[in-house]
Amino acid sequence: MDVTLKQQIALFAKTQENPFFVYDLDKLSKHIASLHNQDIKLWYAVKANPLSKVISTLDKQGMNFDVASSGELDQVLAQGIDCERILNTGPAKSPKQVRHFLQRGVNTFVVESISQLALIDKLSAEFERHPSILLRVQLRFEEGDNNPLGGNALTPFGLGCDEWRRVDLSQYSNLSVIGLHIFQWGNMLDADKLISLWQAMVTPLTTLAEEMGFELQVLDLGGGLGIPYDQSQSRINWSILKAALVKIKQQSKVNELWLELGRFAVGEYGYYICDVIDVKHNYQQPLVVMQGGINHLLRPAITEQAFPVQLLRDSSAKHSKFHIHGPLCTSLDKLGHLALPDDLSEGDTLIFSQCGAYGFTEAMPYFLCHELPAEVVIEDSKFKIIRPSLPAASYLY
Ligand SMILES: Cc1ncc(COP(=O)(O)O)c(C=O)c1O
């Protein structure tokens, strides 16, 4: 990580008693600006990091917003974003939620089942609206593997072609079906593999649209672009992906190609900073117990993939692999088995990088009633606390 940034964070950390996330909005802004292009419409998957300042930074860079709940919608609207720049994805759309979206003026829905189609059609008539609809498709691939987003497995995300083919769209006269949505692989770092999966989708999807009798104007390929969590991995090349997407756009003859970026948009611009509470050797293995663990950063427990870590102060000591545990009463509370300097001791501070996506809101903060971590941004080179760290009393009833 950038040495100056590390030094600045180390200085700021001296003012904090509890663990905190910090997001570098200056670098985030530059990154998003570098993704812009004429050919692909970019949406930000708000679930990756719904912090107000992250949303407004992306807004300034012209991103659109993919929201998956009423909470995410309200958070995006609270930042002054126009409904025309919001779409709704997600397998659980209750009548209450769909009403909320229509009332607020959202006009684009990704539909994941036949009952969702019927529900949105019925409620659109009530609200005298005519929203645009993308049908979410789940394909099976010969060489595909499984993945947190499902891969080839059966998931609640959309329907297979056979299921969609049976639908008579003329029954849903309050809706305009304008496209198809597909997203089955998350955190992909192999550009060739991602491109070959995308390419393999073109024929089944264009055929499905033809069979269902609607004009395929939009193809939404979801997210799935990865970031490296491990030194052995390298960054995915956006220019190569962009060139491949332009080809896919031509092959599928759509007017618009959409991507919904989460991790690739924000993941690399966040850090989690946390103090060491205890260091010990157990059965000859070095082990560190931290002030925060999966109550603040759950992802390593779900994916068995650690966030990269460094000691926040300088040390020239030789490195050993430490088992890094959090404060919870479960051995699942582990942030990794990673190299740290041998002079690591109680009171030291560690900094985990690549924590900008699927961090604060993905965690399980209430177990054992520890403090909630703070959320801090760096904007115009200044640190600003957006969410202070709160004690358990703030959420216990
Ligand atoms: C519908 C949808 N779009 C986009 C994303 C973002 O995915 P990623 O973070 O892999 O870009 C997700 C993540 O779960 C999703 O469910």
Side-chain angles (χ1 to χ4, degrees), residues 339-360:
L340 285 165
D342 281 343
D343 62 352
L344 184 72
S345 67
E346 294 82 15
D348 266 331
T349 305
L350 300 186
I351 177 164
F352 294 83
S353 48
Q354 310 292 71
C355 299
Y358 307 115
F360 184 92

Side-chain angles (χ1 to χ4, degrees), residues 87-378:
L87 70 77
N88 177 212
T89 58
K93 293 186 180 75
S94 66
K96 182 173 165 229
Q97 182 178 303
V98 175
R99 273 202 185 88
H100 185 76
F101 273 69
L102 288 168
Q103 265 161 359
R104 295 288 183 283
V106 174
N107 206 38
T108 312
F109 293 85
V110 172
V111 165
E112 315 229 4
S113 71
I114 297 164
S115 47
Q116 264 187 24
L117 200 61
L119 175 69
I120 300 174
D121 182 65
K122 178 172 150 256
L123 294 179
S124 297
E126 250 176 53
F127 284 87
E128 297 182 6
R129 298 275 302 286
H130 199 88
S132 299
I133 301 295
L134 274 69
L135 305 177
R136 186 164 183 176
V137 181
Q138 212 176 99
L139 293 176
R140 293 274 162 95
F141 296 90
E142 261 172 38
E143 46 157 329
D145 45 13
N146 289 339
N147 185 280
L149 259 299
N152 262 353
L154 180 75
T155 72
F157 310 126
L159 290 174
C161 289
D162 285 350
E163 281 76 15
W164 280 128
R165 222 176 268 122
R166 287 190 213 113
V167 174
D168 173 7
L169 288 179
S170 67
Q171 287 179 16
Y172 307 97
S173 57
N174 303 298
L175 308 177
S176 276
V177 177
I178 60 162
L180 295 173
H181 177 288
I182 182 158
F183 175 29
Q184 293 173 223
W185 275 268
N187 196 27
M188 300 284 287
L189 278 171
D190 181 343
D192 291 342
K193 187 167 178 197
L194 188 53
I195 292 167
S196 78
L197 282 166
W198 281 336
Q199 267 163 349
M201 295 168 186
V202 174
T203 304
L205 294 181
T206 49
T207 309
L208 177 64
E210 243 174 70
E211 287 168 343
M212 291 183 75
F214 68 90
E215 186 194 350
L216 188 63
Q217 299 167 52
V218 175
L219 184 56
D220 183 342
L221 295 173
L225 281 65
I227 59 170
Y229 288 99
D230 187 307
Q231 276 180 348
S232 66
Q233 299 171 326
S234 42
R235 299 189 81 222
I236 199 159
N237 186 320
W238 172 243
S239 308
I240 293 179
L241 291 183
K242 209 165 51 178
L245 287 167
V246 170
K247 263 197 206 144
I248 287 171
K249 188 175 172 188
Q250 288 160 354
Q251 285 164 356
S252 51
K253 299 193 181 77
V254 288
N255 306 335
E256 294 187 17
L257 191 77
W258 296 357
L259 282 186
E260 299 154 1
L261 302 180
R263 189 187 320 273
F264 187 69
V266 296
E268 294 184 288
Y269 305 94
Y271 304 86
Y272 171 68
I273 292 89
C274 184
D275 284 350
V276 170
I277 301 291
D278 202 357
V279 181
K280 56 188 170 188
H281 279 74
N282 200 9
Y283 287 92
Q284 290 85 48
Q285 297 201 57
L287 187 151
V288 49
V289 182
M290 308 292 300
Q291 192 178 0
I294 61 171
N295 53 334
H296 296 169
L297 266 186
L298 183 62
R299 192 173 180 277
I302 302 175
T303 61
E304 292 182 10
Q305 188 168 46
F307 289 96
V309 72
Q310 285 183 44
L311 178 60
L312 199 49
R313 67 171 164 84
D314 291 334
S315 164
S316 52
K318 129 176 151 17
H319 281 56
S320 299
K321 275 186 132 186
F322 285 73
H323 294 272
I324 307 174
H325 285 269
L328 307 184
C329 58
T330 161
S331 57
L332 288 175
D333 188 7
K334 186 167 184 186
L335 295 182
H337 183 214
L338 299 166
L340 285 165
D342 281 343
D343 62 352
L344 184 72
S345 67
E346 294 82 15
D348 266 331
T349 305
L350 300 186
I351 177 164
F352 294 83
S353 48
Q354 310 292 71
C355 299
Y358 307 115
F360 184 92
T361 55
E362 196 186 72
M364 42 180 291
Y366 305 128
F367 194 36
L368 264 76
C369 307
H370 288 286
E371 293 91 357
L372 299 180
E375 286 188 292
V376 177
V377 297
I378 306 172

